[in-house]
Amino acid sequence: MALEVKNLVKTYGEKTVVNDISFSMKTPGVYALLGTNGAGKTTTIRMILSMLSKDSGEVLWNGEALDTMKTNVGYLAEERGLYPKYSLMDQLLYFAGLKNISKDEAKKRIKYWSDRLEVNEYVYSKTKNKVKSMNADQLSKGNQQKIQLMIALLSDPEIIILDEPLSGLDPVNADLFKSVIREEIEKEKYIIMSSHQMPTIEEFCSDITIMNRGNAVLQGDLNEIKKQYGRVNMYFKSDEDAEDIISRFDFADVIKNANEYEIKVKDEGQAKDFLGAIVSKGINVVKFELREPTLHEIFVEKVGESNDK
């Protein structure tokens, strides 16, 4: 199985909001779409789902045009999409029916996910000794998001698209969502995730596309991208004054916070030379770390470069 997105383009008048975006998933896992607000991520997702028409390009599943009426796809939208004045159970059964899940089977799956996502008290709320679901507008934003995740997963989809899945969640519920995502990964699902939360992307995604103003400014395997940058971020902390030694080196960038320094070195050799100079001077080293850049740092650099052009 494979998911291929080829040369997607979307324009509104003279404005191109998605410009020739391509990527592929040849094996199950999580693919990340990153970008600032307005970068074109959600528009790309909606074209993949045929919710928006494409000006050009195609989306293929196993070599054929992706048809969401035939292929089981689950979608968690960034915007809340529940009907506020309708009961949760009615809505869950309705969306399950759209996926051709029988009512009896839907009720079993709803019970499973209500337990798993800890929303039993809302889906099976008791009123005057009767069990009755709450309406969607009686729930917090986070709990509404749990219901929408249930809707996305009720059909046990082959392809799962998550647009900002952790947005607005407290740390406890964010961890709950992450545990569910891990379970879906273990089931070998194909997952596309859009998120502003870089640590979450680093936790789950091996391949990424960074978008800015509708264009892909960086794509590929995240580990390989980091290796290309090299270990050029150095952290140094000492209880003693090291300013004299630091000033001898032509570092690319130096940020001082109290007695701790964040230093951008030219290469690993420069970092080793600096450490050697510190040790030979007899300065006590509290902390020394040399690492690859984080995804956050890469994102800021690439989006900044794109905006400067």
Side-chain angles (χ1 to χ4, degrees):
M1 292 186 180
L3 177 67
E4 298 176 85
V5 174
K6 293 186 174 182
N7 310 110
L8 291 187
V9 175
K10 183 66 179 177
T11 59
Y12 292 104
E14 297 182 356
K15 183 176 178 61
T16 301
V17 294
V18 173
N19 184 26
D20 198 30
I21 294 296
S22 299
F23 63 88
S24 64
M25 297 181 69
K26 295 182 179 179
T27 58
V30 186
Y31 196 102
L33 288 178
L34 306 172
T36 58
N37 293 328
K41 307 183 301 298
T42 297
T43 300
T44 299
I45 286 171
R46 288 175 177 171
M47 284 193 287
I48 292 171
L49 293 166
S50 297
M51 295 171 66
L52 279 177
S53 61
K54 316 170 189 66
D55 290 344
S56 59
E58 57 184 344
V59 180
L60 304 178
W61 175 242
N62 299 327
E64 298 181 358
L66 176 64
D67 184 346
T68 55
M69 297 299 292
K70 297 178 180 178
T71 303
N72 193 351
V73 181
Y75 175 42
L76 173 65
E78 180 180 8
E79 304 88 357
R80 303 287 73 80
L82 299 175
Y83 299 101
K85 297 301 181 181
Y86 286 82
S87 78
L88 299 175
M89 180 61 76
D90 286 346
Q91 295 192 60
L92 288 164
L93 290 172
Y94 168 74
F95 285 110
L98 293 179
K99 294 290 188 177
N100 295 317
I101 304 170
S102 70
K103 191 171 183 179
D104 287 343
E105 178 62 25
K107 287 183 176 180
K108 291 177 184 177
R109 297 186 186 188
I110 290 167
K111 185 65 177 73
Y112 168 81
W113 283 111
S114 294
D115 290 336
R116 183 69 185 83
L117 291 170
E118 301 173 3
V119 289
N120 271 319
E121 62 183 295
Y122 312 114
V123 177
Y124 303 101
S125 177
K126 289 185 178 180
T127 304
K128 294 181 180 180
N129 298 320
K130 294 183 179 180
V131 176
K132 182 180 179 181
S133 279
M134 288 186 176
N135 290 346
D137 62 359
Q138 296 176 278
L139 273 61
S140 67
K141 179 181 177 182
N143 283 318
Q144 287 188 42
Q145 197 152 333
K146 288 183 180 182
I147 299 300
Q148 293 205 169
L149 182 60
M150 286 177 64
I151 291 169
L153 298 178
L154 273 177
S155 63
D156 192 21
E158 299 172 271
I159 302 171
I160 303 170
I161 299 180
L162 306 173
D163 195 355
E164 297 292 346
L166 306 184
S167 175
L169 295 178
D170 61 63
V172 172
N173 282 317
D175 284 346
L176 178 59
F177 266 50
K178 287 180 184 181
S179 68
V180 170
I181 294 170
R182 290 190 192 96
E183 289 171 4
E184 296 303 311
I185 294 171
E186 290 175 1
K187 295 176 185 176
E188 298 190 335
K189 302 299 181 68
Y190 288 74
I191 303 172
I192 296 175
M193 182 188 297
S194 170
S195 179
H196 289 105
Q197 300 186 18
M198 302 299 163
T200 300
I201 295 299
E202 290 194 89
E203 186 175 348
F204 290 110
C205 304
S206 57
D207 295 282
I208 66 169
T209 290
I210 295 178
M211 298 178 66
N212 190 45
R213 296 179 178 176
N215 296 290
V217 295
L218 184 66
Q219 286 186 303
D221 180 279
L222 182 55
N223 287 331
E224 291 301 317
I225 290 170
K226 287 186 174 185
K227 286 179 183 178
Q228 292 172 14
Y229 276 83
R231 293 189 294 169
V232 293
N233 288 3
M234 182 174 74
Y235 287 77
F236 169 73
K237 183 176 181 179
S238 174
D239 294 330
E240 303 173 49
D241 186 7
E243 289 284 352
D244 179 58
I245 296 177
I246 291 173
S247 65
R248 299 178 199 172
F249 288 81
D250 184 23
F251 289 129
D253 190 30
V254 178
I255 299 174
K256 182 179 181 182
N257 300 305
N259 293 324
E260 185 170 0
Y261 296 85
E262 299 179 28
I263 301 172
K264 182 80 71 175
V265 298
K266 295 178 180 178
D267 51 38
E268 292 185 32
Q270 188 182 43
K272 291 177 181 177
D273 291 342
F274 171 73
L275 181 59
I278 288 290
V279 172
S280 64
K281 191 72 173 179
I283 293 176
N284 181 46
V285 178
V286 176
K287 178 181 180 180
F288 181 86
E289 179 185 5
L290 188 63
R291 62 165 179 80
E292 297 169 337
T294 64
L295 178 57
H296 174 90
E297 291 162 338
I298 293 171
F299 178 88
V300 170
E301 176 189 310
K302 298 306 294 186
V303 170
E305 285 179 355
S306 178
N307 287 333
D308 289 340
K309 293 179 181 178

